[in-house]
Amino acid sequence: MPDPRSIQLPIFSESARFEVSRKLGKTEFACDLSVCHGACCTMPADAGAPILESEIAELERVFPIVKKYLSEESIETIEQTGVWQRERDGSLTIPAIRGRDCIFVTYENDNSGIAFCAIEKAYRASEIEDFPKPISCHLFPIRIYPKKDTFEIVYEKISECKGGRTRGKRERMPLLDFLETPLVRALGEKRIKHLRQAFKIADNKSNKSL
Ligand code: SF4
């Protein structure tokens, strides 16, 4: 499995090529926050969420807007270290507090303990127009990893998402449908259309190229 810290998610050019496991087309998934409590915003990890170089300016732009949703600790951390950091391998990430809570995490006001992204909260409230959240967070539990000449689109099967797998099966929700918006955002409509068509065609290849 590639190291998540090596992830790069360019605004994929027309010429970029991808490999997709057939398993991805068969996976059923729909996040169930009542089970996971938004664990992907707070789970322990070696590094925070990967971001693109182009997203640094977006994060700096939205911080003053989402500040009102953040904890004192998040605000202090951001004011001391900024909204991004460079990892030893050169990749860019969002800092996390004590190796788990994303600095942009916020919580529901209903004592449910459900964590979610303050940027997404502001976006849904129309306080931010064109940046729902970093694309790697938007796509999760799908990750896109650079390989030699291609990118690999992978479903990260983690224990925290068990509720998402159960709900996905119960509702017969394909992962590709559930994450269609971020997939289109990352790869473009044409590629997603192609991907859907490809998964309807039965063949013996273990991978598809977009
Ligand atoms: S990606 Fe997994 S951990 Fe995150 S909200 Fe969905 S089910 Fe929960």
Side-chain angles (χ1 to χ4, degrees):
M1 180 61 63
D3 182 342
R5 287 173 300 177
S6 70
I7 192 172
Q8 293 170 28
L9 285 171
I11 305 301
F12 291 107
S13 68
E14 288 272 319
S15 58
R17 296 188 61 77
F18 298 87
E19 288 177 19
V20 186
S21 154
R22 283 192 65 81
K23 216 170 137 191
L24 193 94
K26 291 181 182 163
T27 301
E28 294 175 318
F29 190 93
C31 291
D32 189 342
L33 293 173
S34 69
V35 176
C36 71
H37 290 192
C40 51
C41 293
T42 59
M43 63 189 184
D46 292 342
I51 55 166
L52 305 172
E53 188 100 37
S54 61
E55 289 177 323
I56 292 175
E58 298 289 355
L59 293 173
E60 288 172 343
R61 178 175 68 87
V62 301
F63 169 55
I65 301 169
V66 307
K67 193 173 173 181
K68 59 182 178 285
Y69 299 131
L70 303 180
S71 68
E72 286 292 318
E73 200 173 15
S74 283
I75 294 167
E76 271 170 33
T77 306
I78 292 170
E79 287 173 348
Q80 282 167 16
T81 65
V83 292
W84 64 280
Q85 62 193 11
R86 193 175 291 280
E87 301 293 336
R88 281 198 203 134
D89 64 3
S91 64
L92 302 169
T93 61
I94 295 179
I97 297 170
R98 287 182 291 280
R100 47 183 310 156
D101 289 7
C102 175
I103 51 168
F104 283 108
V105 73
T106 190
Y107 289 87
E108 291 282 13
N109 291 326
D110 57 3
N111 295 323
S112 63
I114 291 177
F116 58 101
C117 177
I119 301 171
E120 186 176 357
K121 180 171 179 157
Y123 179 80
R124 288 183 184 217
S126 303
E127 295 168 342
I128 296 170
E129 275 185 15
D130 47 6
F131 185 65
K133 55 181 163 179
I135 189 66
S136 74
C137 307
H138 206 178
L139 280 169
F140 198 76
I142 285 179
R143 289 288 203 211
I144 304 181
Y145 294 108
K147 289 181 78 181
K148 196 168 170 227
D149 300 315
T150 62
F151 294 90
E152 187 178 22
I153 303 178
V154 175
Y155 162 57
E156 295 281 15
K157 189 174 179 181
I158 59 170
S159 59
E160 285 83 353
C161 294
K162 193 175 171 198
R165 289 188 285 278
T166 304
R167 181 179 163 211
K169 275 203 180 73
R170 190 172 63 237
E171 298 183 7
R172 309 292 312 270
M173 171 67 75
L175 174 65
L176 293 179
D177 279 355
F178 186 69
L179 290 180
E180 181 167 12
T181 300
L183 282 166
V184 168
R185 185 179 162 211
L187 303 172
E189 272 187 50
K190 205 166 132 195
R191 284 194 179 109
I192 299 307
K193 203 171 161 194
H194 187 169
L195 184 60
R196 287 177 172 286
Q197 285 168 352
F199 278 123
K200 281 183 198 157
I201 301 166
D203 65 33
N204 296 321
K205 289 184 185 165
S206 58
N207 288 304
K208 295 278 184 188
S209 288
L210 293 185

